[in-house]
Amino acid sequence: MSPREDAVLSTMQDVPLLISRILTHGSTVHGTSQVISWTGEGEPERRSFAEIGARSAQLAHALREDLGVTDGERAATFMWNNSVHVEAYFAIPAMGAVLHTLNLRLPPEQLAWIVNHAADRVVIVNGSLIPLLAPLLAKLPTVEHIVVSGPGDRTPLEGAHARVHEYEDLIAGKPTTYDWPELDERQAAAMCYTSGTTGDPKGVVFSHRSIYLHSMQVNMTQSMGLTDQDTSLVVVPQFHVNAWGLPHATFMTGVNMLMPDRFLQPAPLAEMIESQRPTHAAAVPTIWQGLLAELTAKPRDVSSLTQVTIGGSACPPALMAAFDELGMRVCHAWGMTETSPLGTVSRPPAEAVGTEREFEYRLTQGRFPTSVEARLTGPGGERLPWDGESAGELEVRGPWIAGAYYNGQDAEPLRPADKFSEDGWLKTGDVGTISADGFLTLTDRAKDVIKSGGEWISSVDLENALMSHPDVTEAAVVAVPDEKWGERPLATVVLKEGSTADFTSLRAFLADEGKIAKWQLPERWTIIESVPKTSVGKFDKKVLRRRYAEGDLDVTKL
Amino acid sequence: MSPREDAVLSTMQDVPLLISRILTHGSTVHGTSQVISWTGEGEPERRSFAEIGARSAQLAHALREDLGVTDGERAATFMWNNSVHVEAYFAIPAMGAVLHTLNLRLPPEQLAWIVNHAADRVVIVNGSLIPLLAPLLAKLPTVEHIVVSGPGDRTPLEGAHARVHEYEDLIAGKPTTYDWPELDERQAAAMCYTSGTTGDPKGVVFSHRSIYLHSMQVNMTQSMGLTDQDTSLVVVPQFHVNAWGLPHATFMTGVNMLMPDRFLQPAPLAEMIESQRPTHAAAVPTIWQGLLAELTAKPRDVSSLTQVTIGGSACPPALMAAFDELGMRVCHAWGMTETSPLGTVSRPPAEAVGTEREFEYRLTQGRFPTSVEARLTGPGGERLPWDGESAGELEVRGPWIAGAYYNGQDAEPLRPADKFSEDGWLKTGDVGTISADGFLTLTDRAKDVIKSGGEWISSVDLENALMSHPDVTEAAVVAVPDEKWGERPLATVVLKEGSTADFTSLRAFLADEGKIAKWQLPERWTIIESVPKTSVGKFDKKVLRRRYAEGDLDVTKL
């Protein structure tokens, strides 16, 4: 944007879009809405939005006055989803500091690297996570204060160079209101590092403006579309792209939140659903796969839950159909840390509703909202049409899309050429098609696509087809070098216990009914025990490629 | 807002919120959605959003290349609600000019004053409105081009100093795409003058930013909450605060629009509803009153219409109940030109849904959204609590709320002290209460409130109570001077034909069941033939006060 010097300005008020505004609104107009946090025993903890507003003000006072946190400084959280984490979500940015959510599933070295890169001064930690944090502390010289919330043994923190505080003691007696500052809406509000599979983690810094606009979008009818009559079970972690924006969005409309804390196993999730009766839930597919198995083994009354938002990776069609049977309507969403994350939501268009095409639309990644512009770039850099056929790398642009990565205080942001186009669009690294009516279908990660003889083979299409075989539990397909074709697919398959399926029959299954074109069928096959996963539960194909390269897989060539 | 020099900036893209973005999105992603314009004969005209996108680009080319409209210049519309008016809505701001919607119900002198004040260079006019525009032209020296669309005799325009063009000829053959400029989002996009009852009309200038944010809000679940499965009957005129934001909001989500053009009488509206089956409609109460009478006299299948947004003035409870009976759910909204207009929407809170209190909540003006901050100021300038009891003047603040009035090109904006507080909030001139959960109940206009012995009497409460009497068609209550109390209420009543009700019985009706406190009961009564109305259909109490002052009313004192 190059503002015009001679632009005729409007007579509208110049009011910034700030997170403090969302907090003030939610804790007054929707003051009776609740955050319900699972504790694992007895009744869950219930805090009204009004209480959370008051406690957020107390936390801001404590951070500023007791811990000396000043404008723009980073205060980190190392926490599960719970009401105290929601307080940190609001207090830290609203007072002018930067919330840094730490992904507690990252390897210790990566975590230390990230805390040091962000120069976090404060870490708020759940007591139950002290065993993960304490061993790192010696490597975190910038951390001056540890604030502990909730049950858990504190002794591992003894002897740390940082001062240790109890969250409840710290905020006790502080004023329950705070004169939130009038900030620039483009100021940093929160940051989150991507768990990149190559190179160092990359910091994405969200602004007050980007979070505010994103929250409005989440509440638009064709996104999650919840109201204050809903309760959302927020399984997606708060350390994972702001829990898809739910903590902010719910404070705009009074949606109740049900927070699972550390109880993310299928059994307690089923128990939460039965007892607290949420109407909506948000999580990655692996969680739902587990929940489905649990509900099959031990049926529960989960009838309250009618809407499920699935993101992070594509929902297998069989899983979507199974949830339909249970009366839970799955809605796909696509996004990434760099997109805040809401990129697309798969609400079928009016003309498909009630027709055979409805399910097809639901299987796509979904439709772009107004604020997310999209384009496809082909292998040669050419722009591809929105015809539902031409596959290219997805590039996006918009007010809640990253245009750079954080490079440390006072340093110029990073804009690597493989991540950002010359004209500032984000290169998502995802390959897919866009239909004329703006529905995105992703077929692959750019790095996972198999380049065979100048054509692209989608590893994901092969995986989905394989996983629809009754004997296949999981399957991952990776590109391996091939003398004749450049690359060819290698199918790695996890079979159900006791299965007698062999590679020839699996290959025939893929070819059957035109599921997969003949030239795309894998020649190379191997059985593995389980597909390696990244810290956020995605297939880690980098590991499979490495194991193949190192001769560590027993490959059969048909 | 005073931007901080040292603020830590985020790594988000800096993408402006522009009307061109809404157009591009609507005409691609929602390209098959439709604008259906009533023509009064045969099938209505249907244009897809894709066609409107193409024709808007053609219009922009014509305005820029043929008529020489440059950045920031005003192009006016003098039109009914129809698809061509929607094209003007998008083309004019998207190309960088300013859309000026002219209220065709204003008296000719006011219209001329407004066109001259805005210095409109172009007026797009519906052929059917030439008889209203032509007589004014001699007084409009800035208007160089008249563009005519739709049926109607052109001869009254002969001899005008302005050049006259046919809309369809002007855009024919122009390119169907336009390289929309990247503007500053705070640049002027559209303007609308308030039909002030005192002084000159006042120009409100909306920005791209304010319209974009407002459109997102309209699409949020707790506002109008429509999807692409809906068709909205847009009765509220496009010259009246951007038709409450519907033309912009619908292009964000693909909601179809049904446009009544000049056919605003109850019979054609009923016919439109029956034949086109809209699911939603938006209009002021007088329209609904007429429609209800029509449907009672001649029942039609209006079952598609389940949601009705009523604004402009309060919906009488009896009317709301009558529409409930018809299966049409009335939702109140409050706003004004200065608030874009969405200020509140009366969606009852979750805890009231399904209870006796639900209807009470629906009768309030509704709840403030996140982006509209509200406060009440008492008669002495003091801040009043949100307790549902303390009545004060409503003041609001937000990114789509006016902070000044237009004062002509290159002049400083007007900020009259009776309209804007020292700290920049809009003084709405409305008096009411706000409940703890943010629901606004308006009781009066500040200028209509009756100041009796240091207390306020609500004229609206008296009117509503009177209008609930079976013999009363309409009633308006105004303050008149009183020696003892300062001011006292005068009740002016329109009785049903053949009614034998007298003032004593009406007064007893008001006192009955504690409807109205005894000290608030009017002593002065008069029968009138009809309540005088302003150009937008509101009670014009100024006229009644003048008629009383001039001794023109036959007043009985009880």
Side-chain angles (χ1 to χ4, degrees):
Chain A
M1 182 174 67
S2 32
R4 293 159 44 87
E5 284 294 321
D6 62 338
V8 181
L9 294 186
S10 79
T11 63
M12 293 289 113
Q13 296 178 13
D14 200 1
V15 176
L17 309 176
L18 298 180
I19 287 176
S20 57
R21 179 71 210 131
I22 304 177
L23 175 64
T24 303
H25 175 80
S27 57
T28 52
V29 170
H30 300 292
T32 57
S33 294
Q34 294 192 325
V35 179
I36 305 153
S37 306
W38 203 248
T39 60
E41 45 191 28
E43 272 298 292
E45 175 210 86
R46 290 173 187 278
R47 290 238 163 88
S48 70
F49 283 15
E51 286 175 85
I52 287 184
R55 288 167 54 90
S56 298
Q58 293 182 306
L59 174 59
H61 280 289
L63 290 174
R64 169 104 353 160
E65 294 149 24
D66 297 357
L67 309 193
V69 173
T70 61
D71 290 358
E73 276 190 334
R74 271 74 59 211
T77 55
F78 195 75
M79 303 176 83
W80 303 107
N81 290 11
N82 51 48
S83 68
V84 171
H85 205 171
V86 174
E87 291 160 15
Y89 255 55
F90 284 109
I92 295 168
M95 68 181 276
V98 183
L99 168 77
H100 179 195
T101 50
L102 293 169
N103 181 345
L104 46 95
R105 303 210 193 281
L106 290 181
E109 313 73 46
Q110 252 188 57
L111 262 174
W113 188 95
I114 286 172
V115 172
N116 288 319
H117 189 257
D120 298 326
R121 262 195 71 201
V122 175
V123 179
I124 309 179
V125 62
N126 277 136
S128 56
L129 291 168
I130 290 175
L132 281 184
L133 182 68
L136 289 182
L137 278 177
K139 295 179 209 150
L140 309 178
T142 66
V143 176
E144 296 173 25
H145 299 278
I146 309 277
V147 183
V148 188
S149 168
D153 180 14
R154 269 67 169 160
T155 50
L157 291 175
E158 284 170 12
H161 68 280
R163 279 180 58 200
V164 178
H165 312 263
E166 283 294 326
Y167 186 92
E168 296 300 329
D169 295 347
L170 200 64
I171 71 167
K174 291 281 186 292
T176 55
T177 59
Y178 192 101
D179 189 13
W180 304 114
E182 192 86 342
L183 308 165
D184 182 337
E185 68 185 38
R186 287 181 166 79
Q187 188 171 326
M191 68 196 304
C192 190
Y193 282 75
T194 59
S195 48
T197 43
T198 54
D200 289 327
K202 307 238 171 6
V204 175
V205 185
F206 309 104
S207 64
H208 287 262
R209 172 184 167 94
S210 74
I211 288 175
Y212 195 104
L213 291 169
H214 184 268
S215 304
M216 291 184 81
Q217 181 66 49
V218 169
N219 285 310
M220 281 173 63
T221 47
Q222 297 191 327
S223 298
M224 297 206 204
L226 305 174
T227 76
D228 66 347
Q229 296 187 50
D230 287 298
T231 297
S232 178
L233 170 59
V234 186
V235 184
V236 55
Q238 287 188 256
F239 58 74
H240 188 68
V241 217
N242 302 325
W244 299 349
L246 282 164
H248 302 116
T250 54
F251 266 64
M252 276 195 168
T253 41
V255 179
N256 304 284
M257 278 185 282
L258 174 57
M259 295 302 210
D261 198 85
R262 61 193 180 279
F263 307 96
L264 295 167
Q265 307 72 26
L269 285 176
E271 197 186 329
M272 270 172 238
I273 297 169
E274 186 168 44
S275 72
Q276 303 302 315
R277 305 195 60 72
T279 57
H280 171 260
V284 296
T286 43
I287 292 279
W288 297 114
Q289 204 103 43
L291 185 64
L292 188 64
E294 167 74 20
L295 292 173
T296 309
K298 185 176 174 190
R300 309 252 195 167
D301 177 5
V302 293
S303 59
S304 66
L305 187 56
T306 56
Q307 287 188 74
V308 168
T309 305
I310 288 194
S313 53
C315 178
L319 185 60
M320 198 179 279
F323 275 106
D324 280 355
E325 291 279 310
L326 284 172
M328 298 181 195
R329 170 107 176 173
V330 169
C331 186
H332 250 177
W334 167 85
M336 51 203 288
T337 304
E338 288 88 340
T339 65
S340 287
L342 206 141
T344 57
V345 180
S346 71
R347 301 252 180 208
E351 57 267 30
V353 171
T355 74
E356 283 175 7
R357 293 171 58 218
E358 184 168 3
F359 195 72
E360 281 171 42
Y361 272 107
R362 288 174 58 203
L363 288 177
T364 70
Q365 270 55 50
R367 185 141 67 167
F368 295 97
T370 308
S371 300
V372 180
E373 287 171 78
R375 67 186 185 195
L376 293 175
T377 303
E382 72 281 16
R383 293 280 166 273
L384 298 175
W386 286 22
D387 58 9
E389 307 244 322
S390 309
E393 181 176 0
L394 174 66
E395 299 184 3
V396 291
R397 176 175 187 262
W400 59 74
I401 311 287
Y405 291 116
Y406 183 67
N407 199 13
Q409 192 78 348
D410 302 323
E412 279 294 303
L414 284 175
R415 288 196 179 80
D418 63 329
K419 289 292 192 171
F420 302 100
S421 72
E422 277 182 29
D423 55 351
W425 292 53
L426 173 73
K427 295 180 178 176
T428 64
D430 278 321
V431 170
T433 62
I434 303 176
S435 64
D437 52 355
F439 280 82
L440 172 70
T441 302
L442 290 183
T443 48
D444 249 302
R445 289 291 295 167
K447 65 181 187 316
D448 292 335
V449 98
I450 298 139
K451 289 127 194 147
S452 171
E455 299 272 356
W456 281 359
I457 300 174
S458 163
S459 63
V460 175
D461 282 355
L462 287 170
E463 288 160 5
N464 281 341
L466 274 169
M467 288 193 280
S468 70
H469 188 287
D471 279 10
V472 175
T473 311
E474 282 185 327
V477 176
V478 297
V480 295
D482 183 275
E483 277 194 17
K484 184 168 176 197
W485 300 105
E487 289 180 359
R488 289 297 295 166
L490 160 69
T492 72
V493 180
V494 183
L495 286 180
K496 281 206 178 127
E497 228 180 273
S499 163
T500 58
D502 61 15
F503 298 141
T504 312
S505 70
L506 289 174
R507 194 171 197 267
F509 174 80
L510 290 185
D512 198 29
E513 294 174 26
K515 278 195 196 81
I516 300 292
K518 204 166 167 224
W519 66 273
Q520 300 183 329
L521 295 174
E523 304 80 21
R524 296 172 180 83
W525 294 77
T526 187
I527 300 289
I528 54 177
E529 273 188 26
S530 69
V531 175
K533 310 276 191 327
T534 67
S535 62
V536 294
K538 295 184 188 179
F539 285 2
D540 195 344
K541 298 191 183 177
K542 186 169 39 65
V543 172
L544 287 173
R545 281 191 290 260
R546 194 179 55 224
R547 286 176 63 186
Y548 177 81
E550 291 170 355
D552 192 26
L553 296 174
D554 179 17
V555 174
T556 302
K557 198 162 173 196
L558 299 184
Chain B
M1 182 173 69
S2 34
R4 294 160 42 87
E5 284 293 322
D6 63 337
V8 181
L9 295 186
S10 79
T11 62
M12 292 290 113
Q13 296 177 14
D14 200 1
V15 176
L17 310 175
L18 297 180
I19 288 176
S20 56
R21 179 70 211 130
I22 304 176
L23 175 63
T24 302
H25 176 78
S27 57
T28 51
V29 170
H30 300 292
T32 57
S33 294
Q34 293 193 325
V35 179
I36 305 154
S37 305
W38 203 248
T39 58
E41 46 191 28
E43 273 297 294
E45 175 210 84
R46 291 171 187 279
R47 290 238 162 85
S48 71
F49 283 15
E51 285 174 86
I52 287 183
R55 288 168 53 92
S56 297
Q58 293 182 307
L59 175 59
H61 281 288
L63 290 173
R64 171 106 349 163
E65 294 150 22
D66 296 357
L67 309 192
V69 173
T70 60
D71 289 359
E73 277 191 331
R74 272 73 59 211
T77 54
F78 195 74
M79 302 176 83
W80 303 108
N81 290 11
N82 52 48
S83 67
V84 170
H85 205 171
V86 175
E87 290 160 14
Y89 256 53
F90 284 109
I92 294 168
M95 67 181 276
V98 182
L99 169 77
H100 178 194
T101 49
L102 292 169
N103 181 343
L104 47 95
R105 303 209 193 281
L106 290 181
E109 313 73 46
Q110 254 188 55
L111 262 174
W113 189 95
I114 286 172
V115 171
N116 288 320
H117 189 258
D120 297 327
R121 262 194 73 202
V122 174
V123 179
I124 309 180
V125 61
N126 277 136
S128 56
L129 291 167
I130 290 175
L132 281 184
L133 183 67
L136 290 181
L137 278 177
K139 295 177 209 152
L140 309 178
T142 66
V143 176
E144 295 173 25
H145 299 279
I146 309 276
V147 183
V148 188
S149 167
D153 180 16
R154 270 66 169 159
T155 50
L157 293 174
E158 285 171 10
H161 69 280
R163 278 179 58 198
V164 178
H165 312 263
E166 283 294 326
Y167 186 91
E168 295 300 330
D169 295 347
L170 200 64
I171 70 168
K174 291 280 186 292
T176 55
T177 60
Y178 192 101
D179 189 12
W180 304 114
E182 192 87 341
L183 306 166
D184 182 337
E185 68 186 37
R186 287 180 167 79
Q187 186 171 326
M191 67 196 304
C192 189
Y193 282 74
T194 60
S195 47
T197 44
T198 53
D200 289 327
K202 308 239 172 2
V204 175
V205 185
F206 309 103
S207 64
H208 287 262
R209 170 183 168 95
S210 74
I211 289 175
Y212 195 104
L213 291 169
H214 184 269
S215 304
M216 291 185 81
Q217 181 65 49
V218 169
N219 285 311
M220 281 173 62
T221 47
Q222 296 190 328
S223 298
M224 297 204 203
L226 304 175
T227 75
D228 66 347
Q229 296 188 48
D230 288 298
T231 297
S232 177
L233 170 58
V234 186
V235 184
V236 54
Q238 287 187 257
F239 57 75
H240 188 68
V241 217
N242 301 326
W244 298 350
L246 282 164
H248 301 117
T250 54
F251 265 65
M252 276 194 168
T253 41
V255 179
N256 304 283
M257 279 186 280
L258 174 57
M259 295 301 209
D261 199 83
R262 62 194 178 278
F263 307 97
L264 295 167
Q265 307 73 29
L269 285 177
E271 197 186 330
M272 269 171 238
I273 297 169
E274 186 168 45
S275 71
Q276 304 303 314
R277 304 194 62 72
T279 57
H280 171 261
V284 295
T286 43
I287 292 278
W288 297 113
Q289 205 102 43
L291 185 64
L292 188 63
E294 167 75 19
L295 292 174
T296 309
K298 186 178 174 189
R300 310 253 196 167
D301 177 5
V302 293
S303 58
S304 67
L305 186 57
T306 56
Q307 286 189 75
V308 168
T309 305
I310 287 193
S313 52
C315 178
L319 185 60
M320 198 179 279
F323 274 105
D324 279 357
E325 291 279 311
L326 285 172
M328 297 181 197
R329 171 104 175 176
V330 169
C331 185
H332 250 176
W334 168 84
M336 50 202 291
T337 304
E338 290 87 341
T339 65
S340 287
L342 206 143
T344 58
V345 180
S346 71
R347 302 252 181 208
E351 56 268 30
V353 171
T355 75
E356 283 175 7
R357 294 171 59 219
E358 183 168 4
F359 195 71
E360 281 171 41
Y361 271 107
R362 288 174 57 202
L363 289 176
T364 71
Q365 270 56 49
R367 185 141 66 169
F368 295 97
T370 307
S371 301
V372 180
E373 287 171 79
R375 67 186 185 196
L376 293 175
T377 303
E382 73 280 15
R383 292 278 168 272
L384 299 173
W386 286 21
D387 59 7
E389 305 245 322
S390 309
E393 182 176 358
L394 173 67
E395 299 183 3
V396 290
R397 177 177 187 261
W400 60 74
I401 311 287
Y405 291 116
Y406 183 67
N407 199 14
Q409 192 77 348
D410 302 324
E412 279 294 302
L414 283 176
R415 288 194 180 81
D418 63 328
K419 289 292 191 171
F420 302 98
S421 72
E422 277 182 27
D423 56 351
W425 292 52
L426 173 74
K427 296 179 177 177
T428 63
D430 277 321
V431 169
T433 63
I434 303 178
S435 64
D437 53 355
F439 279 82
L440 172 71
T441 301
L442 290 183
T443 49
D444 249 300
R445 289 291 295 167
K447 65 179 187 317
D448 291 335
V449 97
I450 298 140
K451 288 126 195 152
S452 171
E455 300 271 358
W456 282 359
I457 301 174
S458 162
S459 63
V460 175
D461 282 355
L462 287 169
E463 288 160 6
N464 281 340
L466 275 169
M467 288 194 281
S468 70
H469 188 288
D471 279 11
V472 174
T473 312
E474 281 185 328
V477 176
V478 296
V480 295
D482 182 276
E483 277 194 15
K484 186 168 174 194
W485 300 105
E487 289 180 0
R488 288 294 298 163
L490 160 69
T492 72
V493 179
V494 184
L495 286 180
K496 280 206 180 125
E497 229 179 273
S499 162
T500 57
D502 62 15
F503 297 141
T504 312
S505 70
L506 290 175
R507 194 169 196 269
F509 175 80
L510 290 185
D512 198 30
E513 295 172 24
K515 276 193 197 80
I516 300 291
K518 204 169 166 221
W519 65 272
Q520 299 184 328
L521 294 174
E523 303 80 21
R524 294 173 181 84
W525 294 76
T526 187
I527 302 288
I528 53 176
E529 275 187 26
S530 69
V531 176
K533 310 277 193 326
T534 67
S535 62
V536 293
K538 295 184 187 178
F539 284 2
D540 195 344
K541 298 191 182 179
K542 188 171 36 72
V543 171
L544 287 173
R545 281 191 290 261
R546 195 179 55 225
R547 286 177 62 185
Y548 177 81
E550 290 170 355
D552 193 26
L553 296 173
D554 180 18
V555 173
T556 301
K557 198 166 173 194
L558 297 184

